[in-house]
Amino acid sequence: MHLIYFDESGQSGTNLTDASQPVFVLAALIVPEAAWLPVEEGLKAEVEKSFPAPRSDRFEIHATALRNGEGYFRQFPVSHRLAFRDACLRLAQKHGLRLVYRAIAKRRFHRWIQDSFGPGVLVNPHVVAFPLVARVVDEYLRSQPGSPLGIFISDENREIIGDIEKAIRLLRGIEGSLRLGRIIEKGFFIESETSLVLQLCDLCAYSARKKEEAKAGLPLKPLDQGGVALIEPIIYRGNEAMQDTLDWVIATQKKERPGD
């Protein structure tokens, strides 16, 4: 069994013209069952080492706050915060975790939405990113010894819960290249503050977004270089079945929008 944690970075919903966040990233962190407890314990140890008690009961590792020194993290120098981030990402390497992600350039996505569905239609990029990432995760599971099963665990983002649950249900039931044959049960949604591993996924998603923004021409700031370098060895790139996925998304959305 593998636990697959999903989180996003650069989420602005259907606002696709936010110049400060031009790229949306959906990331999936694949954690083998045997690695889950060592990763959890390692993260706890790093938190205790870097941010010893007393801490708020709602303490959470959040990539943006950690990087920018916001809230609780304001009291720590940037070198301290980045060292903690890097130690967490090294745990992902140490325990053989894998990172699958899909980046979506929002302005280009907006044009595709208009071309596919007409003017005025709003679609969250998560709707397209999820089946692309899920397809690669399923492929990865099939490639492992014994073809292990997997369970999807996502941050409790109420804006997209319905879309994810519907996509999992539909993709498990179809035949062909997009079928999620190794994913069991429904998707599970949890508060990110209750799961250190989900918070690790958030760190990975943020660094993946910075990597993709740099590829798009934005400067990669020194603050982000270490994180980008550390996720590189754990990235798994598989076959997204891009055209099949886009065709499926278009067909599904048009079925839901018969009047558009």
Side-chain angles (χ1 to χ4, degrees):
M1 177 68 67
H2 284 47
L3 306 176
I4 300 100
Y5 292 84
F6 281 80
D7 207 351
E8 65 273 344
S9 186
Q11 171 69 281
S12 57
T14 55
N15 175 12
L16 303 175
T17 59
D18 183 354
S20 66
Q21 296 188 90
V23 176
F24 167 83
V25 164
L26 178 66
L29 189 64
I30 305 174
V31 183
E33 179 182 5
W36 182 86
L37 186 57
V39 171
E40 173 84 0
E41 291 179 339
L43 291 169
K44 286 180 180 178
E46 292 298 338
V47 169
E48 290 297 332
K49 175 183 173 182
S50 297
F51 309 113
R55 297 184 302 273
S56 166
D57 291 339
R58 298 180 66 85
F59 173 86
E60 179 177 356
I61 307 164
H62 192 274
T64 302
L66 185 66
R67 176 195 185 273
N68 297 337
E70 299 170 356
Y72 169 84
F73 299 107
R74 185 179 296 114
Q75 62 190 295
F76 300 97
V78 63
S79 58
H80 185 88
R81 303 194 310 266
L82 296 183
F84 171 76
R85 176 203 64 192
D86 293 353
C88 292
L89 294 178
R90 288 192 183 96
L91 281 172
Q93 289 187 33
K94 176 182 177 181
H95 294 288
L97 309 192
R98 291 292 175 262
L99 178 68
V100 175
Y101 74 86
R102 156 50 60 174
I104 292 181
K106 294 178 185 178
R107 290 187 181 276
R108 188 185 312 155
F109 179 72
H110 180 68
R111 291 193 296 270
W112 179 77
I113 292 297
Q114 302 304 298
D115 291 343
S116 300
F117 304 108
V121 174
L122 300 175
V123 177
N124 193 313
H126 202 295
V127 170
V128 173
F130 180 79
L132 291 168
V133 174
R135 167 71 182 79
V136 177
V137 170
D138 198 80
E139 175 193 88
Y140 175 82
L141 294 175
R142 291 177 184 276
S143 74
Q144 298 305 292
S147 297
L149 298 171
I151 291 179
F152 287 168
I153 303 169
S154 302
D155 187 11
E156 197 172 46
N157 180 343
R158 297 189 182 280
E159 185 178 352
I160 49 83
I161 284 177
D163 290 327
I164 293 177
E165 289 188 325
K166 181 167 51 186
I168 293 173
R169 184 175 66 253
L170 293 175
L171 291 168
R172 284 176 58 189
I174 65 175
E175 296 298 329
S177 64
L178 301 186
R179 183 171 184 264
L180 298 182
R182 307 312 299 160
I183 305 304
I184 64 172
E185 262 288 358
K186 63 188 288 297
F188 290 90
F189 301 90
I190 61 177
E191 293 285 354
S192 59
E193 68 187 46
T194 67
S195 171
L196 285 171
V197 184
L198 185 54
Q199 293 165 40
L200 175 60
C201 184
D202 178 65
L203 293 179
C204 292
Y206 186 90
S207 288
R209 177 164 68 90
K210 291 303 175 182
K211 173 182 171 69
E212 294 300 319
E213 287 178 349
K215 287 168 61 175
L218 277 68
L220 180 61
K221 296 183 178 180
L223 282 173
D224 303 312
Q225 291 173 356
V228 169
L230 284 168
I231 65 166
E232 194 65 46
I234 69 171
I235 295 173
Y236 176 82
R237 301 191 184 281
N239 175 21
E240 292 180 331
M242 172 71 83
Q243 193 56 55
D244 288 348
T245 301
L246 295 181
D247 290 346
W248 179 82
V249 169
I250 291 172
T252 302
Q253 290 292 311
K254 287 187 174 179
K255 185 176 181 180
E256 295 174 359
R257 304 167 184 267
D260 291 345

